[in-house]
Amino acid sequence: MDVDKVKYWAEISDYDLDTAEAMFQTKRWLYVGFMCHQTIEKIFKAYWCSKIEGTSPMSHNLINIAQSCGLNALMSEEQKLFISEIMPLNIESRYPSYKRAIAEGLSEGKCRELIDNTKSLQTWIKGLL
């Protein structure tokens, strides 16, 4: 295990979660979703580095990252559903043609739920590190 890489990814994951909270406070719903995805992507990469030698995948696909390091097998169905829910919030939020559709589905209540679920999953994964 590369302790430095694990620490690096975990710390950036924390930073991204703090950023999601900041975006929530300023009612920037689209970016709440984006930062929740980033939080999970980076904690997945921390887990990956705790289990596999080398450089973590250069991918934003949460399902692929989780499968490539065995994390997917440990996750509950609820956690897997959450990952499927936030996956589009990364790539599609970057492109103007998708922004409107995604933004319409992100209310204050939905964003609070995303942050809470992100914190829960991140905390669970940290417990596995």
Side-chain angles (χ1 to χ4, degrees):
M1 169 179 17
D2 187 330
V3 176
D4 290 334
K5 285 182 183 177
V6 172
K7 182 180 176 188
Y8 167 81
W9 286 115
E11 286 176 354
I12 293 177
S13 177
D14 288 340
Y15 184 88
D16 287 348
L17 185 57
D18 289 344
T19 303
E21 288 283 5
M23 294 297 96
F24 183 83
Q25 295 304 317
T26 58
K27 301 183 185 314
R28 293 186 174 128
W29 310 136
L30 186 62
Y31 295 99
V32 169
F34 178 77
M35 295 313 300
C36 286
H37 180 285
Q38 290 295 294
T39 299
I40 297 304
E41 179 182 326
K42 289 164 185 165
I43 200 65
F44 276 15
K45 289 179 179 183
Y47 182 84
W48 194 97
C49 289
S50 77
K51 299 298 177 193
I52 299 174
E53 276 300 310
T55 303
S56 61
M58 291 186 194
S59 172
H60 303 296
N61 187 314
L62 301 177
I63 294 168
N64 288 348
I65 297 168
Q67 288 174 339
S68 71
C69 63
L71 183 58
N72 195 58
L74 303 175
M75 293 170 62
S76 70
E77 287 305 312
E78 184 177 280
Q79 290 168 325
K80 291 175 188 176
L81 285 172
F82 177 64
I83 294 312
S84 295
E85 179 183 1
I86 66 170
M87 280 255 306
L89 300 177
N90 179 50
I91 301 300
E92 293 177 5
S93 67
R94 294 178 185 208
Y95 300 100
S97 60
Y98 293 105
K99 281 186 177 184
R100 175 176 278 178
I102 291 174
E104 288 173 0
L106 294 174
S107 64
E108 181 173 1
K110 182 61 180 174
C111 286
R112 182 76 262 154
E113 178 185 318
L114 288 174
I115 291 172
D116 292 346
N117 288 339
T118 297
K119 282 181 185 178
S120 177
L121 182 55
Q122 184 202 45
T123 299
W124 177 75
I125 294 168
K126 282 181 173 183
L128 300 174
L129 295 178

